[in-house]
């Protein structure tokens, strides 16, 4: 550490000595200062200032306009859930949901697993239009209880689906499958698509 400090001090001394150095009666410090003043007061610098000032003002107003458009778009996206729910054909969703219910009423565990995975996909497709996130897990993290009252139940159902998808030895009991389907159904009803 002391070596670095010594080198730094020596550099400062050299710079000071050089700038106060006189050659044939010329003061290098004065020459450097005059050159700097000449550059600052040159017509080229004034021309650059003349061009950059209006450009900076234009960029500022452009950013202001983009910011305003962003706020408007955000408001439209917040208001969009009602239009998305109305625009989706409820008969298609209802028939898909009936198909899921047939699988959950089966006596085979494989049918229950299929029902949960399909219900999760159906809810995820609905959430994609309403909330930000790349995956369903990310979308669920972006939702709070003020936006979706059934979020806790949806998390519970999604965790069951994840166990099914990632653990091939996971044994799914029928009551657990039925509970997961009911939780998905509550969310779909709250979102107004069922």
């Amino acid at each position: 550490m002391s070596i670095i400090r010594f080198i730094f001090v020596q550099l400062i001394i050299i710079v000071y000595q050089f700038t106060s150095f006189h050659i044939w009666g010329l003061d290098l410090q004065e020459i450097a200062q005059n050159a700097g003043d000449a550059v600052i007061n040159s017509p080229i610098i004034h021309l650059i200032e003349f061009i950059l000032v209006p450009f900076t003002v234009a960029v500022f107003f452009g950013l202001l306009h983009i910011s305003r458009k962003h706020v408007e778009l955000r408001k439209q996206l917040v208001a969009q859930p009602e239009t998305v729910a109305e625009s989706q054909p409820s008969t298609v969703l209802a028939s898909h949901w009936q198909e899921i219910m047939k699988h959950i009423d089966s006596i085979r565990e494989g049918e229950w697993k299929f029902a949960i995975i399909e219900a999760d996909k159906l809810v995820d497709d609905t959430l994609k239009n309403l909330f930000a996130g790349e995956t369903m897990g990310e979308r669920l993290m972006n939702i709070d209880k003020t936006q979706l009252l059934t979020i806790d139940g949806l998390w519970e159902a999604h965790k069951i689906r994840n166990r099914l998808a990632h653990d091939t030895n996971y044994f799914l009991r029928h009551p657990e499958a039925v509970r997961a389907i009911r939780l998905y159904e509550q969310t779909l009803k709250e979102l107004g698509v069922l």
Side-chain angles (χ1 to χ4, degrees), residues 141-176:
M141 284 190 275
N142 289 331
I143 302 170
D144 62 35
K145 287 187 180 184
T146 60
Q147 296 171 307
L148 189 66
L149 298 174
T150 56
I151 185 66
D152 292 333
L154 184 55
W155 263 114
E156 181 184 337
H158 185 64
K159 287 177 185 176
I160 293 170
R161 179 260 175 217
N162 282 346
R163 278 188 233 130
L164 294 175
H166 301 295
D167 184 2
T168 55
N169 296 324
Y170 182 71
F171 175 72
L172 180 66
R173 294 167 306 165
H174 190 255
E176 184 181 24

Side-chain angles (χ1 to χ4, degrees), residues 85 88-98 122 126 188 192-194:
Q88 290 180 337
S90 59
T91 56
V92 173
L93 286 171
S95 65
H96 191 185
W97 188 254
Q98 291 305 315
L122 185 64
T126 305
L188 289 171
V193 295
L194 265 189

Side-chain angles (χ1 to χ4, degrees), residues 65-108:
H65 177 71
I66 289 171
S67 175
R68 190 176 312 135
K69 287 292 186 183
H70 176 73
V71 169
E72 290 173 9
L73 181 61
R74 192 87 169 135
K75 286 179 184 177
Q76 288 175 354
L77 288 175
V78 169
Q80 190 179 7
E82 296 106 27
T83 59
V84 170
E86 292 168 7
S87 66
Q88 290 180 337
S90 59
T91 56
V92 173
L93 286 171
S95 65
H96 191 185
W97 188 254
Q98 291 305 315
E99 186 73 26
I100 290 170
M101 294 306 288
K102 287 178 187 173
H103 289 288
I104 203 68
D105 290 336
S106 172
I107 59 171
R108 291 183 281 166

Side-chain angles (χ1 to χ4, degrees), residues 4 15-16 21 58 60 66 70 98 102 120 138 168:
I4 295 172
V15 168
Y16 175 75
F21 191 64
F60 174 75
I66 289 171
H70 176 73
Q98 291 305 315
K102 287 178 187 173
D120 192 82
E138 287 180 16
T168 55

Side-chain angles (χ1 to χ4, degrees), residues 1-193:
M1 223 29 186
S2 62
I3 294 172
I4 295 172
R5 187 177 203 175
F6 175 76
I7 293 170
F8 183 71
V9 168
Q10 291 302 317
L11 284 173
I12 291 174
I13 291 170
I14 290 169
V15 168
Y16 175 75
Q17 287 174 347
F18 181 75
T19 57
S20 62
F21 191 64
H22 294 279
I23 299 178
W24 299 302
L26 297 174
D27 185 8
L28 290 182
Q29 183 178 7
E30 185 179 329
I31 292 171
Q33 187 174 5
N34 290 340
D37 290 342
V39 169
I40 290 174
N41 294 324
S42 71
I44 294 172
I45 297 297
H46 290 298
L47 179 65
I48 291 172
E49 287 177 347
F50 183 74
I51 293 170
L52 288 182
V53 168
F55 179 75
T56 304
V57 171
V59 168
F60 174 75
F61 282 111
L63 289 174
L64 191 64
H65 177 71
I66 289 171
S67 175
R68 190 176 312 135
K69 287 292 186 183
H70 176 73
V71 169
E72 290 173 9
L73 181 61
R74 192 87 169 135
K75 286 179 184 177
Q76 288 175 354
L77 288 175
V78 169
Q80 190 179 7
E82 296 106 27
T83 59
V84 170
E86 292 168 7
S87 66
Q88 290 180 337
S90 59
T91 56
V92 173
L93 286 171
S95 65
H96 191 185
W97 188 254
Q98 291 305 315
E99 186 73 26
I100 290 170
M101 294 306 288
K102 287 178 187 173
H103 289 288
I104 203 68
D105 290 336
S106 172
I107 59 171
R108 291 183 281 166
E109 181 189 8
E111 296 284 322
W112 309 335
K113 290 179 178 181
F114 179 77
I116 290 174
I117 290 171
E118 285 298 305
D120 192 82
K121 284 182 192 175
L122 185 64
V123 171
D124 188 32
D125 288 342
T126 305
L127 293 178
K128 282 179 189 175
N129 297 321
L130 305 173
F131 301 102
E134 290 294 317
T135 64
M136 184 163 179
E138 287 180 16
R139 279 185 276 283
L140 292 178
M141 284 190 275
N142 289 331
I143 302 170
D144 62 35
K145 287 187 180 184
T146 60
Q147 296 171 307
L148 189 66
L149 298 174
T150 56
I151 185 66
D152 292 333
L154 184 55
W155 263 114
E156 181 184 337
H158 185 64
K159 287 177 185 176
I160 293 170
R161 179 260 175 217
N162 282 346
R163 278 188 233 130
L164 294 175
H166 301 295
D167 184 2
T168 55
N169 296 324
Y170 182 71
F171 175 72
L172 180 66
R173 294 167 306 165
H174 190 255
E176 184 181 24
V178 170
R179 174 157 174 72
I181 291 296
R182 293 296 172 222
L183 293 171
Y184 284 124
E185 184 178 34
Q186 288 172 1
T187 298
L188 289 171
K189 285 182 177 176
E190 181 180 351
L191 293 171
V193 295

